[in-house]
Amino acid sequence: MSSVLSNQQRVPVHGLFIDGRQVPASRADLLDVLNPATGELLAQISHASEADVDRAVKSAHAAFESDEWSAMSNRTRAKLINKLADVFEAHLEEMYHLETANNGRSLNETRAQISRLPDFFRYNAGLAIARRDSVIPVDGNYLNYTIRTPIGVVGNSTPFNHPLMIMVKSLAPTLASGCTTVVKPSEYTPLTTLRLAKLFVEAGLPPGVFNVVTGLGPTTGKALAEHPLLAKWVLTGGTEAGRITGALAGTNFAHQTLELGGKTPVLVFDDFDVDQAVNYAAFGAFVGAGQTCICGSRQIVQDSIYDEFVEKLAAKAKAIRIGNPADPSVQLGPVVSARQQQRVLNYVRIGLEEDKARLVAGGKAPADPSLKNGFFVEPTVFADVTPDMRIFQEEVFGPFVSVSKFSTEAQALAMANDSPFGLAGAVRTKDVTRAHRVAARLKCGIVWINDHHRLDPASPWGGIKDSGIGRECGTESFDQHFETKSVMVRMDDTPFDWYKDTSSQRRLN
């Protein structure tokens, strides 16, 4: 991924962002950042070493301990977080274009997603003001209350698919709670994270509160996850990455939030409008070029509408406009890299040769010669997929969806829950009792009824099983950034001497 540029190939070269400014890394090698739609070089980034990561974490730790940040009142901090939201909002147009160029998501999708992100800061600023500690009724003449204190430095490793959104889900509660952070963005998509860090410091965020180290997972990411000064480790990525880094962070007993892989089942019952089910299926499966952990990749459809659903979904997939994501008329951009493109195409081969499923749409790179240098994959639909097939069980992470048939509600639930993952699920039905009944029995952390891919700053987000632990968003995420201290106050002046007459004592604890 690294290269040496000629004088004719000048592009921006980004250092690390530590202690409020851009600084050079100790390593000389650089990593290329490509435009996935064209394969062209966008920028180069530093490859942070273990020493660089140590410098960043120590900067975050010093900022956490400083009076400027730690002694800041909740209301003052909330005002600052709201100011950061305003600054972010003022630079949205810049962020739309930078993120689209960097990760290949269509401009319309990027605009629709990033435009909501300032509200994540505003929501958490509200929690900072509204939070209360508890007074707990206990037995005896005692006052028991709690004090919550910010946990410290949060290490955050973010993925390539939604660079800003996923980073903001962690950054907003981290800052609003009074913690500090070191973020390692994906080496594929670091540009908007680096830009936001600079904007926030210029807006008044104290130096060292928000640091960014760029580099590769096995080097930079490993050094961050295992750093002994981390109080919390946050990772959004693959399940195997979660196992590896979770074990590293666990050595130092860091708190953890891991949002990992997914294989979202969508249960489509025959009382739901087929055309609407197809529209939701296409949205759930192909938005973000299918590179979402909650991609609606398993469409489980009742037998009486199955054939019609397959036919219409195939037609819908073939009609999606593929092209350069900077063009507002384009509906589907590339996947993030040549490696990811090959991964998706390899699963097409698996679906055809190993699983013997029926390919009804896509399955290859577009023939358009203007797209040949980008990492594009046609929207791909496989039909007649059964739970024993690899394309039913394994996460593809691309514009790739399977369709399976069921007869009864019990059969649909069994198929949906037949997965090592448990991030999200969805139900399509007009029967309100069935909707709630099925939602309760789906083994996952998020369920959408007659919708898909909806997120709100107030709504907890996360999974179970191989999809990870912990929750982002909501009070759940905010509260996970504090340690709770219990204070017990004796409210009785009666003299105490346990050893004067031990036999008369009736209470030890």
Side-chain angles (χ1 to χ4, degrees):
M1 189 174 181
S2 62
S3 72
V4 177
L5 293 180
S6 71
N7 290 332
Q8 288 74 38
Q9 293 176 297
R10 295 188 185 279
V11 296
V13 177
H14 297 278
L16 312 175
F17 195 84
I18 299 175
D19 208 28
R21 60 192 177 90
Q22 181 173 266
V23 298
S26 60
R27 302 171 57 134
D29 59 315
L30 298 172
L31 304 175
D32 293 346
V33 179
L34 304 181
N35 182 329
T38 64
E40 295 173 337
L41 194 63
L42 280 176
Q44 290 190 309
I45 56 171
S46 298
H47 186 183
S49 67
E50 184 176 348
D52 296 323
V53 171
D54 182 62
R55 182 167 42 144
V57 175
K58 286 180 177 175
S59 172
H61 186 260
F64 178 72
E65 297 289 346
S66 71
D67 287 343
E68 183 179 14
W69 187 245
S70 65
M72 188 181 289
S73 72
N74 289 337
R75 291 187 179 274
T76 300
R77 182 174 287 110
K79 288 180 181 178
L80 175 57
I81 303 305
N82 278 315
K83 181 181 179 182
L84 299 182
D86 294 341
V87 169
F88 192 172
E89 203 160 59
H91 287 82
L92 280 176
E93 193 66 31
E94 173 190 358
M95 292 298 188
Y96 299 151
H97 292 279
L98 184 58
E99 183 132 315
T100 290
N102 198 177
N103 85 332
R105 192 166 189 174
S106 74
L107 183 61
N108 289 335
E109 285 185 16
T110 301
R111 179 177 283 109
Q113 183 179 79
I114 293 180
S115 63
R116 298 194 63 226
L117 298 187
D119 283 344
F120 281 74
F121 292 97
R122 296 184 178 111
Y123 172 77
N124 281 275
L127 292 182
I129 295 174
R131 80 175 182 91
R132 295 180 177 181
D133 293 319
S134 302
V135 176
I136 305 169
V138 294
D139 189 37
N141 195 13
Y142 293 92
L143 170 66
N144 183 205
Y145 63 91
T146 61
I147 300 174
R148 290 192 298 168
T149 55
I151 56 177
V153 180
V154 178
N156 185 9
S157 180
T158 61
F160 60 76
N161 55 338
H162 310 301
L164 270 182
M165 187 197 76
I166 289 176
M167 191 265 292
V168 163
K169 284 195 296 182
S170 173
L171 183 64
T174 294
L175 300 183
S177 65
C179 294
T180 60
T181 190
V182 179
V183 177
K184 192 210 86 66
S186 166
E187 63 272 21
Y188 293 110
T189 56
L191 300 184
T192 48
T193 298
L194 286 164
R195 179 62 178 141
L196 193 67
K198 185 174 186 293
L199 286 172
F200 279 7
V201 169
E202 290 173 352
L205 191 67
V209 172
F210 179 11
N211 306 275
V212 182
V213 291
T214 53
L216 303 177
T219 51
T220 309
K222 177 179 181 294
L224 182 57
E226 66 186 2
H227 199 285
L229 286 178
L230 280 196
K232 181 178 173 68
W233 173 241
V234 180
L235 177 134
T236 301
T239 298
E240 191 57 31
R243 288 195 175 99
I244 293 169
T245 63
L248 293 172
T251 301
N252 297 307
F253 301 108
H255 300 246
Q256 297 191 34
T257 297
L258 307 176
E259 202 256 71
L260 308 177
K263 193 71 175 175
T264 299
V266 180
L267 281 61
V268 183
F269 290 90
D270 61 7
D271 63 336
F272 196 77
D273 181 79
V274 174
D275 291 325
Q276 278 299 295
V278 166
N279 289 341
Y280 276 124
F283 172 69
F286 303 136
V287 70
Q291 298 171 116
T292 64
C293 46
I294 47 77
C295 171
S297 54
R298 291 189 293 153
Q299 299 288 319
I300 301 171
V301 182
Q302 197 151 25
D303 49 12
S304 57
I305 59 170
Y306 177 83
D307 290 337
E308 181 184 2
F309 179 93
V310 169
E311 180 182 356
K312 289 184 173 180
L313 180 58
K316 186 83 173 179
K318 293 172 183 176
I320 291 174
R321 294 188 297 276
I322 307 171
N324 191 316
D327 181 348
S329 68
V330 163
Q331 296 173 318
L332 184 75
V335 294
V336 77
S337 65
R339 177 183 177 184
Q340 196 64 24
Q341 180 191 46
Q342 189 54 49
R343 174 183 171 86
V344 178
L345 295 177
N346 186 53
Y347 270 101
V348 173
R349 181 195 61 78
I350 290 169
L352 290 170
E353 298 177 8
E354 295 184 29
D355 292 339
K356 308 298 183 185
R358 178 164 56 103
L359 179 66
V360 296
K364 61 184 184 300
D368 185 344
S370 69
L371 304 179
K372 67 178 182 179
N373 294 325
F375 313 128
F376 294 89
V377 179
E378 292 179 344
T380 297
V381 182
F382 273 95
D384 304 342
V385 177
T386 55
D388 59 320
M389 295 181 182
R390 287 182 63 184
I391 60 172
F392 184 92
Q393 294 289 342
E394 298 176 15
E395 186 176 34
V396 177
F397 221 68
F400 187 110
V401 61
S402 70
V403 189
S404 306
K405 184 187 300 185
F406 76 88
S407 297
T408 66
E409 180 181 310
Q411 184 185 14
L413 278 164
M415 294 172 69
N417 291 331
D418 183 8
S419 173
F421 299 108
L423 183 56
V427 185
R428 312 277 184 253
T429 182
K430 292 298 184 182
D431 184 333
V432 66
T433 57
R434 174 196 282 152
H436 291 293
R437 183 172 64 244
V438 171
R441 295 184 62 190
L442 285 171
K443 296 179 180 179
C444 57
I446 308 160
V447 178
W448 295 285
I449 296 174
N450 300 340
D451 211 327
H452 205 91
H453 208 307
R454 302 304 175 186
L455 170 69
D456 191 90
S459 181
W461 179 282
I464 61 174
K465 301 192 287 185
D466 282 2
S467 291
I469 58 173
R471 292 295 180 268
E472 298 176 300
C473 306
T475 57
E476 290 82 357
S477 176
F478 182 77
D479 290 344
Q480 288 168 8
H481 290 79
F482 295 92
E483 299 284 10
T484 301
K485 180 186 299 180
S486 176
V487 180
M488 186 78 76
V489 183
R490 186 169 184 247
M491 305 291 286
D492 189 342
D493 290 333
T494 304
F496 172 79
D497 185 349
W498 176 271
Y499 293 104
K500 183 176 182 180
D501 186 3
T502 304
S503 64
S504 68
Q505 302 289 350
R506 293 293 177 265
R507 175 171 176 164
L508 178 63
N509 296 319

